[in-house]
C-alpha cells in the first residue's frame, strides 16, 4: 500500500517518531532489511505511523542527494555503529527540504531525538549539521553534482537505463523519484466503483491502460475505501493489473501462480474467473500469510501453499497446469517510486543471482504445463537481462516453447515480449512474455 502522508504529531510523540524513523532508516542503510520489514520491527503507536512512514519513505526517495549534502558537513564518514545518527541527519535534511514542518521545529525535534540515542556527542553534531543544511539548497538542480546524487539513482542503474532506453531514461528516472499514486483495481464495473467513491467524497479518476484501474487523488487508509472489505476494491498498480488479463483463465482450468505473495495477481485471476482452480505458491511462508489474508478478505477460492517453485517434487500433485504465472523475483527497477529503498538495497552484483533464479524457475516449472498450455513470465524490472535475455535463453533451450505475441496499445514491443515503462503519475514498469507449450516442439 502507498504510505499515507503523515501529519506532524505533538512534540513528545514527534521526538519518539523521529527516533523510530532513525532506527528504521539505519536498518536500511546497513542493508539489514527493507523499509516495510524495518517498519514492522520498530512498530509503535499507530497515531504517528503515517508521519514515521512519510519520514522513512521520503528519506529513502531522496537518499542520494541527502547523503551527499550531509556528508559535506561531516569530518569523517559515519561508522557502522552510528548509522542511527546518520539516519537522523538524513531525516532532518528530508524534513527541511521536502516536508511541511517549520525549520526550527524540524531541527529542535530531531536534535531532541538525537539526545535520546544516548550518544553524548550526537545532539551537538545533529544540531550543527542541520543548522547548516537549513541554510543550503538541498533540492535545486545543480549540474555540478555527480549524476547519482543529482538523479537520486545508483550509478550502475543509470548506466543500464541509458544503454537500454536511450530515449526514455530521463522520464524513467523522473518516475523512479516520484511519489506514487494510490491505485485500485475494481472487481465490479469501474463506473460503479467510481460512483461509490465519489459518493464517499473520495476524489478519483480512471486509468488509461486497463478498464479496472482507479487512481485516487490522495492516498487513504484502505479501511476508508467503500468496497475494500468485501474485495470489490483491491490496491494494485495498473501495470500489475495487466498480468491476469494477459494470462487469461477459463472455468475449470488449473492455474499456478508460482511466485504469488502477497497475492495481488492470484486474487485478480480468481475474481476474473471464479470457476478456475488456482494454486498460489510462494517460497516464503510469512508472505503466504499475506496471500491468505487477501484471499479471505475477498472470499476467493484459491489454494495457498508455501513451496519453492524450483522444487515441484515437494508440492506438486502431478496433475499438469493449464496456465501458469511466473511473476519472478527481480531487481524491482520498474517500481522504484513504490519501493524507494530499492535504490539503497539493490546492487549490480545482485543481478546474476536474480537472473539465475529467474531462469531456474522457468526451467523447473515448464514441465508442469500441459501441451497447449500457456505461461506468462512477468517482472517489475526494466532491465533486458532479467526480461528478454532470460526468455531468449529459455527459448533457445526449449524447442517446445513458442512466444505468443502480445498485441497491445500500451508499452513497447521487445524481442520476446512487451515492456511497460514506469511513469511518474500512472502505472509502474513491468515486463511480460507469453509462452505456449507446443507438442513435440520445433
Ligand atoms: C514479484 S513478487 C510476487 C508478487 C505477486 N505475484 C503479486 O502480484 O502480489 C515475487 C515473489 O516470489 C517469491 N519467490 C522468490 N523465490 C521463489 C521461489 N524459488 N519459489 C517461489 N516463490 C519465490 C518471493 O517470496 C516473492 O513473494
Amino acid at each position: 500500500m502507498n504510505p499515507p502522508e503523515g501529519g506532524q504529531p505533538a512534540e513528545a510523540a514527534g521526538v519518539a517518531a523521529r527516533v523510530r524513523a532513525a532506527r528504521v532508516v539505519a536498518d536500511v542503510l546497513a542493508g539489514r532489511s527493507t523499509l516495510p520489514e524495518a517498519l514492522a520491527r520498530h512498530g509503535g503507536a499507530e497515531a504517528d505511523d503515517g508521519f514515521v512512514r512519510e519520514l522513512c519513505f521520503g528519506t529513502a526517495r531522496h537518499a542520494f542527494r541527502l547523503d551527499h549534502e550531509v556528508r559535506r558537513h561531516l569530518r569523517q564518514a559515519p561508522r557502522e555503529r552510528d548509522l542511527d545518527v546518520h539516519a537522523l541527519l538524513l531525516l532532518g535534511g528530508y524534513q527541511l527540504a521536502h516536508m511541511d514542518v517549520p525549520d526550527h521545529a524540524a531541527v529542535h525535534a530531531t536534535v531532541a531525538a538525537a539526545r535520546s540515542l544516548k550518544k553524548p556527542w550526537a545532539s551537538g553534531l545533529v544540531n550543527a549539521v542541520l543548522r547548516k543544511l537549513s541554510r543550503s539548497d538541498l533540492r535545486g538542480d545543480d549540474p555540478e553534482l555527480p549524476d547519482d546524487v543529482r538523479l537520486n539513482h545508483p550509478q550502475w542503474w543509470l548506466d543500464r537505463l541509458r544503454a537500454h532506453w536511450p530515449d526514455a531514461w530521463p522520464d524513467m528516472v523522473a518516475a523512479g523519484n516520484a511519489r506514487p499514486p494510490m491505485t485500485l483495481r475494481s472487481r465490479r464495473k469501474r463506473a460503479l466503483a467510481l460512483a461509490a467513491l465519489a459518493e464517499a467524497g473520495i476524489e478519483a479518476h480512471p486509468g488509461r491502460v486497463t478498464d479496472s484501474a482507479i487512481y485516487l487523488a490522495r492516498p487513504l487508509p484502505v479501511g476508508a475505501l467503500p468496497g475494500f472489505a468485501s474485495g470489490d476494491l483491491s490496491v494494485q498498480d495498473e501495470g500489475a493489473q495487466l498480468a491476469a488479463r494477459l494470462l487469461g483463465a477459463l472455468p475449470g482450468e488449473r492455474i499456478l501462480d508460482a511466485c504469488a505473495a502477497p497475492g495481488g495477481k492470484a486474487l485478480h485471476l480468481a475474481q476474473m474467473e471464479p470457476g478456475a482452480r488456482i494454486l498460489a505458491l510462494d517460497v516464503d511462508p510469512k508472505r503466504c500469510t499475506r496471500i491468505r489474508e487477501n484471499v479471505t478478505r475477498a472470499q476467493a477460492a484459491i489454494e495457498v501453499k508455501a513451496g519453492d517453485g524450483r522444487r515441484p517434487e515437494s508440492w506438486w500433485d502431478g496433475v499438469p497446469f493449464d496456465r501458469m504465472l511466473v511473476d519472478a523475483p527481480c531487481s524491482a527497477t520498474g517500481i522504484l517510486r513504490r519501493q524507494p529503498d530499492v535504490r539503497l538495497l539493490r546492487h549490480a552484483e545482485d543481478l546474476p543471482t536474480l537472473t539465475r533464479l529467474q531462469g531456474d524457475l522457468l526451467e523447473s516449472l515448464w514441465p508442469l504445463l500441459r501441451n497447449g498450455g500457456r505461461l506468462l513470465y512477468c517482472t517489475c524490472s526494466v532491465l533486458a537481462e532479467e526480461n528478454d535475455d532470460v526468455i531468449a535463453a529459455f527459448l533457445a533451450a526449449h524447442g517446445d516453447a513458442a512466444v505468443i505475441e502480445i498485441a497491445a496499445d500500451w508499452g513497447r514491443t521487445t524481442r520476446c515480449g512487451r515492456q511497460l515503462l514506469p511513469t511518474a503519475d500512472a502505472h509502474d514498469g513491468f515486463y511480460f512474455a507469453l509462452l505456449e507449450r507446443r507438442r513435440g516442439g520445433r
Side-chain angles (χ1 to χ4, degrees):
M1 200 191 70
N2 305 298
E5 287 183 46
Q8 156 89 333
E11 189 172 335
V15 174
R18 286 167 175 89
V19 172
R20 218 144 64 77
R23 299 208 163 108
V24 170
V25 172
D27 277 3
V28 175
L29 293 176
R32 271 194 291 274
S33 49
T34 63
L35 268 184
E37 288 164 355
L39 276 165
R41 183 169 328 121
H42 301 290
E46 278 210 352
D48 66 7
D49 266 357
F51 182 68
V52 172
R53 287 180 68 90
E54 169 64 19
L55 281 175
C56 295
F57 275 77
T59 298
R61 183 163 297 124
H62 298 280
F64 283 48
R65 176 72 183 264
L66 291 171
D67 187 64
H68 176 84
E69 300 293 345
V70 164
R71 280 177 199 251
R72 281 154 66 129
H73 303 296
L74 299 180
R75 271 202 293 270
Q76 58 190 39
R79 292 170 298 192
E80 177 82 23
R81 65 172 186 272
D82 295 325
L83 284 178
D84 50 355
V85 178
H86 194 62
L88 263 187
L89 290 170
L90 302 184
L91 293 163
Y94 176 66
Q95 295 165 69
L96 293 170
H98 301 280
M99 279 185 85
D100 216 7
V101 181
D103 283 7
H104 67 273
V107 175
H108 180 78
T110 311
V111 171
R115 226 170 269 131
S116 67
L117 294 180
K118 311 237 176 319
K119 296 182 180 177
W121 50 272
S123 54
L125 176 79
V126 172
N127 189 31
V129 172
L130 293 191
R131 281 184 195 286
K132 285 180 190 151
L133 290 183
S134 69
R135 294 190 291 272
S136 325
D137 177 5
L138 301 177
R139 45 189 295 175
D141 188 18
D142 176 357
E144 298 292 310
L145 290 172
D147 263 6
D148 58 341
V149 171
R150 194 167 60 87
L151 302 173
N152 255 309
H153 280 57
Q155 193 58 49
W156 67 265
W157 188 323
L158 291 171
D159 293 344
R160 280 172 167 79
L161 290 190
R162 282 194 176 106
H164 292 326
W165 305 106
D167 63 324
W169 75 267
D171 288 344
M172 295 168 79
V173 166
N177 291 336
R179 185 185 275 275
M182 185 165 175
T183 315
L184 308 176
R185 178 175 56 77
S186 173
R187 158 164 64 177
R188 300 186 297 160
K189 268 204 169 321
R190 182 165 62 186
L192 294 176
L194 282 166
L197 288 168
E199 199 166 311
I202 299 171
E203 204 183 319
H205 65 270
R208 294 212 188 96
V209 170
T210 65
D211 61 6
S212 51
I214 293 177
Y215 290 88
L216 296 188
R218 278 167 295 283
L220 280 177
V222 287
L225 295 171
F228 180 78
S230 63
D232 281 345
L233 286 178
S234 298
V235 177
Q236 190 177 35
D237 180 79
E238 185 167 20
Q241 297 182 33
L242 291 164
R245 301 290 170 86
L246 290 172
L247 181 61
L250 290 173
E253 282 188 333
R254 277 175 60 89
I255 302 181
L256 172 68
D257 182 349
C259 301
K265 299 183 185 76
L267 182 59
H268 189 188
L269 278 165
Q271 292 188 327
M272 212 172 72
E273 182 41 76
R277 291 174 295 158
I278 298 170
L279 171 60
L281 183 84
D282 201 280
V283 75
D284 184 340
K286 275 206 214 106
R287 287 174 61 80
C288 284
T289 309
R290 298 274 312 282
I291 312 180
R292 289 195 186 94
E293 285 164 6
N294 274 322
V295 166
T296 306
R297 171 179 62 88
Q299 298 181 324
I302 297 178
E303 187 185 356
V304 182
K305 270 190 191 172
D308 189 332
R310 294 166 301 179
R311 302 187 178 286
E313 66 281 2
S314 64
W315 50 265
W316 186 42
D317 62 7
V319 182
F321 292 99
D322 299 288
R323 297 179 203 249
M324 273 187 209
L325 175 61
V326 182
D327 185 13
C330 70
S331 61
T333 41
I335 57 168
L336 179 61
R337 56 183 193 153
R338 294 201 193 272
Q339 297 187 9
D341 50 337
V342 167
R343 61 167 54 73
L344 293 164
L345 295 170
R346 188 65 73 214
H347 305 287
E349 305 80 63
D350 303 334
L351 290 172
T353 311
L354 286 168
T355 55
R356 201 171 320 116
L357 173 56
Q358 291 149 0
D360 288 351
L361 281 166
L362 285 174
E363 196 65 42
S364 313
L365 293 166
W366 187 249
L368 280 55
L369 191 63
R370 73 162 165 83
N371 283 325
R374 287 187 170 188
L375 182 152
L376 182 72
Y377 175 79
C378 121
T379 70
C380 53
S381 166
V382 293
L383 307 179
E385 56 220 278
E386 299 182 275
N387 296 337
D388 274 348
D389 292 357
V390 170
I391 296 300
F394 181 77
L395 290 169
H398 293 268
D400 61 345
V403 167
I404 309 264
E405 193 197 335
I406 300 173
D409 56 3
W410 49 262
R412 299 179 177 207
T413 306
T414 64
R415 238 179 322 146
C416 307
R418 208 160 184 92
Q419 179 79 53
L420 191 64
L421 296 179
T423 56
D425 57 355
H427 52 76
D428 286 340
F430 278 93
Y431 170 82
F432 303 98
L434 187 58
L435 307 181
E436 189 170 83
R437 187 160 184 201
R438 303 256 158 102
R439 195 186 300 273
R442 305 191 276 272

